[in-house]
Amino acid sequence: MICSLFLEEKGNEKLETENAAVFSEVVRQKERLGIPLIGECYVVEHKELAADKLHAKVKRVTRVMAELGADLIKCFFTGDRFHEVVENLPVPVFTIGRRSLPATSRS
């Protein structure tokens, strides 16, 4: 099961609280079902953010997902400081893919 958590940088605390509540409910459901949950940190505005802002948001959101009960985290690679994201988490991390590589044909 994959679930994203959307947290705002500022402004809409009510929506942020609602989003965390929904994520928490998904955690309860996965525990009842006995299946792992991948918390996906997809930063919608990633193209508009400076590298340091993207890094800070990924680090914050991924930690919240882990604290709420995600078993694995899927997130953006944030460059040379990505080790800070990994070190900040008590669960395994993998990154959201980049551009697709050309398919190779097998003869």
Side-chain angles (χ1 to χ4, degrees):
M1 176 184 308
I2 298 176
C3 183
S4 293
L5 175 62
F6 296 95
L7 298 179
E8 306 298 320
E9 286 300 307
K10 56 186 170 198
N12 198 340
E13 289 82 14
K14 183 178 181 205
L15 180 59
E16 186 170 290
T17 301
E18 291 170 2
N19 288 341
V22 168
F23 192 89
S24 295
E25 177 55 31
V26 171
V27 169
R28 283 191 291 277
Q29 290 176 18
K30 70 96 177 175
E31 288 171 347
R32 277 193 297 269
L33 295 170
I35 60 175
L37 174 66
I38 299 170
E40 182 173 358
C41 175
Y42 186 84
V43 180
V44 176
E45 71 278 16
H46 68 276
K47 291 181 181 178
E48 290 83 39
L49 291 178
D52 60 327
K53 296 269 188 193
L54 176 63
H55 174 77
K57 187 162 189 176
V58 167
K59 187 175 177 185
R60 175 176 171 252
V61 174
T62 56
R63 181 62 189 212
V64 170
M65 287 190 297
E67 292 289 334
L68 290 175
D71 299 299
L72 301 116
I73 300 293
K74 181 179 177 183
C75 65
F76 283 97
F77 177 73
T78 61
D80 293 339
R81 296 176 55 204
F82 186 68
H83 66 92
E84 295 173 8
V85 173
V86 175
E87 292 165 357
N88 192 45
L89 295 170
V91 298
V93 180
F94 59 103
T95 60
I96 292 172
R98 302 273 304 202
R99 282 182 238 122
S100 295
L101 296 174
T104 57
S105 62
R106 293 184 183 175
S107 304

